[in-house]
């Protein structure tokens, strides 16, 4: 999206938005509140079907203090896991959400986005309209945390669920997407994040399991966050679970997550149990989207979020396809992974994502600690 309020680069670091009375710090909008190199802002969307054929994950991120911008898309069609990545310098206009073949547009705030991936040499394209169904609510995470003797600033943002329509092409096949048969989740977060800028800035912090991103008819579970339908006045704006208890099964050979059950403990001590089972090999291996961690960054090239790839005004587009029906390939790609699952709770069936860090999650469940255990 090109900014509707452009300004000449001669005014840098001021942008057109700085003409408006919107500042919350004594800096231009373009300038981050923190000098930390790991400062970031990112949007992330998923789109998955209800049969285990198509899984789409797409994201866009800016790193103001590193001066970099990047986007990625992962499309897994029946185990053929294709990734497209694009990098450029951030530039002066943070409202510019076009990056190589990627384009992100806010059609109506907290209601509708448009996500596009145009022609590229990796054979993955899409044009998806996103429609919110649950109410995104602002919250802060991680305030006051200290990691490796260093203060970590809080991450702020909001989460949501929605439906999609449009089309996806991958592997020579076209899939028509409609709001009945496809659903997904999204988030928008900003703050600082461990590992931004490359492995040299990684302090080693890694959760064994990020959570479940699951939407039911009347509520959604986004990690420990409870979200309710747009327009719903019978609940609080949102809520938080008291705790979650996980019992999990893993593949015998790879130790990647396969199925399990989760006790959702609410603040009134009531409990709902969700059961889940992965659909085939429908996994989004987020290392391919530059999510670095104990297993490294991208499997080829070791790219991490925020690393400088493009020089000057160039846009660099990279990608690859892996056959993740092969257990050896799944083992090689494993890390922060989103498993497309069939999920049931209180007689209702839906489809969502379960996100462990493979195979750290297996080790923690095997040890029976942190609320995780193996399900025999």
């Amino acid at each position: 999206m090109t900014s509707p309020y452009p300004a000449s680069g001669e005014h840098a670091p001021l942008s057109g938005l700085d003409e408006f009375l919107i500042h919350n710090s004594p800096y231009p909008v373009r300038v981050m509140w923190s000098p930390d190199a790991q400062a970031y802002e990112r949007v992330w969307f998923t789109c998955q079907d209800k049969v285990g054929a198509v899984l789409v994950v797409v994201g866009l991120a800016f790193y103001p203090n590193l001066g970099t911008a990047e986007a990625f898309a992962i499309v897994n069609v029946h185990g053929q896991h294709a990734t497209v990545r694009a990098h450029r310098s951030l530039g002066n206009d943070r409202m510019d959400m076009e990056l190589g073949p990627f384009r992100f547009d806010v059609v109506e705030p907290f209601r509708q986005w448009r996500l596009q991936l145009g022609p590229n040499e990796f054979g993955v394209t899409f044009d998806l309209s996103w429609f919110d169904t649950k109410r995104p609510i602002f919250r802060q995470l991680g305030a006051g945390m200290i990691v490796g003797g260093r203060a970590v600033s809080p991450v702020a943002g909001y989460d949501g669920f929605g439906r999609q329509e449009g089309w996806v092409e991958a592997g020579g096949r076209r899939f028509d997407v409609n709001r009945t048969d496809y659903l997904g989740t999204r988030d928008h977060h900003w703050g600082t994040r461990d590992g931004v800028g490359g492995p040299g800035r990684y302090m080693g912090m890694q959760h064994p399991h990020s959570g479940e991103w699951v939407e039911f008819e009347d509520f959604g579970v986004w990690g420990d966050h409870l979200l309710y339908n747009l327009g719903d006045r019978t609940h609080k704006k949102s809520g938080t679970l008291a705790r979650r208890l996980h019992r999990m099964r893993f593949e015998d050979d790879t130790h990647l997550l396969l199925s399990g059950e989760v006790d959702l403990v609410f603040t009134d001590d009531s409990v709902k149990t969700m059961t889940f089972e992965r659909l085939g090999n429908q996994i989004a291996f987020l290392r391919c989207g530059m999510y670095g961690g104990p297993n490294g960054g991208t499997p080829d090239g070791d790219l991490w979020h925020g690393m400088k790839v493009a020089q000057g005004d160039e846009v660099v587009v990279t990608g690859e396809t892996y056959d993740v029906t092969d257990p050896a390939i799944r083992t090689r790609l494993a890390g922060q992974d989103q498993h497309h699952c069939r999920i049931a709770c209180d007689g209702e069936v839906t489809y969502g994502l379960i996100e462990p860090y493979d195979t750290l999650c297996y080790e923690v469940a095997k040890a029976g600690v942190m609320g995780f255990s193996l399900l025999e």
Side-chain angles (χ1 to χ4, degrees):
M1 180 182 95
T2 303
S3 172
Y5 308 107
S8 168
E10 67 184 306
H11 303 296
L14 293 171
S15 66
L17 282 179
D18 284 297
E19 289 277 45
F20 293 83
L21 282 67
I22 58 175
H23 298 86
N24 288 312
S25 66
Y27 301 106
V29 173
R30 160 71 176 82
V31 179
M32 204 64 170
W33 56 273
S34 167
D36 194 325
Q38 295 184 317
Y40 81 103
E41 184 159 6
R42 176 181 299 121
V43 291
W44 166 88
F45 299 83
T46 79
C47 169
Q48 61 266 2
D49 63 18
K50 299 180 179 181
V51 296
V54 180
L55 169 62
V56 179
V57 180
V58 57
L60 169 72
F62 293 162
Y63 306 93
N65 295 334
L66 296 173
T68 59
E70 67 196 23
F72 79 91
I74 295 170
V75 179
N76 186 333
V77 175
H78 292 298
Q80 300 308 299
H81 184 281
T83 307
V84 181
R85 295 176 293 270
H87 297 81
R88 64 166 166 81
S89 296
L90 178 56
N92 192 48
D93 188 353
R94 286 174 62 182
M95 286 191 71
D96 180 2
M97 294 191 291
E98 189 168 350
L99 208 172
F102 290 91
R103 184 182 173 100
F104 298 75
D105 290 285
V106 180
V107 178
E108 182 180 0
F110 304 111
R111 289 294 190 276
Q112 185 179 349
W113 282 67
R114 187 179 181 189
L115 315 172
Q116 295 172 277
L117 176 56
N120 58 80
E121 64 179 291
F122 304 101
V124 178
T125 56
F126 53 71
D127 188 343
L128 295 170
S129 292
W130 166 282
F131 302 91
D132 281 293
T133 52
K134 296 294 188 283
R135 180 169 51 226
I137 295 295
F138 174 84
R139 63 173 181 161
Q140 281 190 332
L141 304 170
M145 289 181 61
I146 298 175
V147 179
R150 173 183 165 191
V152 178
S153 66
V155 172
Y158 50 87
D159 331 306
F161 293 93
R163 298 292 186 272
Q164 302 81 43
E165 63 182 32
W167 55 267
V168 177
E169 290 186 356
R173 300 179 62 184
R174 181 184 174 104
F175 298 87
D176 292 322
V177 176
N178 61 74
R179 293 196 235 183
T180 299
D181 298 323
Y182 288 77
L183 68 170
T185 183
R186 76 176 179 106
D187 70 31
H188 179 182
H189 289 139
W190 57 92
T192 61
R193 185 180 177 109
D194 193 16
V196 163
R201 292 192 172 100
Y202 177 54
M203 295 182 290
M205 182 172 62
Q206 181 60 59
H207 299 296
H209 183 68
S210 299
E212 295 76 38
W213 325 131
V214 182
E215 183 183 18
F216 294 103
E217 186 69 27
D218 295 328
F219 70 99
V221 178
W222 202 99
D224 66 348
H225 199 197
L226 297 171
L227 298 174
Y228 300 106
N229 293 329
L230 285 167
D232 183 347
R233 297 293 182 264
T234 64
H235 295 90
K236 295 183 297 183
K237 285 187 175 181
S238 66
T240 303
L241 292 166
R243 61 186 181 279
R244 291 166 291 159
L245 301 173
H246 296 81
R247 297 171 293 278
M248 296 176 158
R249 293 189 182 94
F250 299 83
E251 296 179 357
D252 292 335
D253 48 358
T254 68
H255 292 164
L256 268 67
L257 185 62
L258 189 60
S259 62
E261 55 191 35
V262 188
D263 291 337
L264 307 176
V265 184
F266 294 77
T267 54
D268 63 0
D269 290 329
S270 63
V271 179
K272 292 180 181 289
T273 299
M274 294 193 311
T275 61
F276 66 89
E277 182 174 6
R278 196 180 74 209
L279 298 174
N281 294 294
Q282 291 305 100
I283 307 169
F285 292 91
L286 294 185
R287 286 178 58 207
C288 296
M290 299 161 289
Y291 285 75
N295 298 0
T298 55
D300 294 299
D302 197 27
L303 293 178
W304 293 55
H305 286 149
M307 289 178 64
K308 190 173 185 63
V309 176
Q311 304 296 324
D313 294 331
E314 71 175 338
V315 176
V316 176
V317 180
T318 61
E320 68 282 307
T321 298
Y322 296 107
D323 180 0
V324 298
T325 65
D326 182 344
I329 299 295
R330 294 199 298 277
T331 297
R332 179 168 175 250
L333 305 187
Q336 189 171 340
D337 303 329
Q338 294 179 334
H339 297 257
H340 182 191
C341 295
R342 179 185 185 275
I343 299 162
C345 182
D346 283 355
E348 183 178 352
V349 174
T350 189
Y351 298 83
L353 300 176
I354 312 293
E355 186 183 291
Y357 195 94
D358 293 312
T359 61
L360 177 60
C361 188
Y362 167 78
E363 298 297 338
V364 170
K366 182 180 177 182
V369 297
M370 301 176 64
F372 296 88
S373 61
L374 294 177
L375 184 60
E376 301 299 333

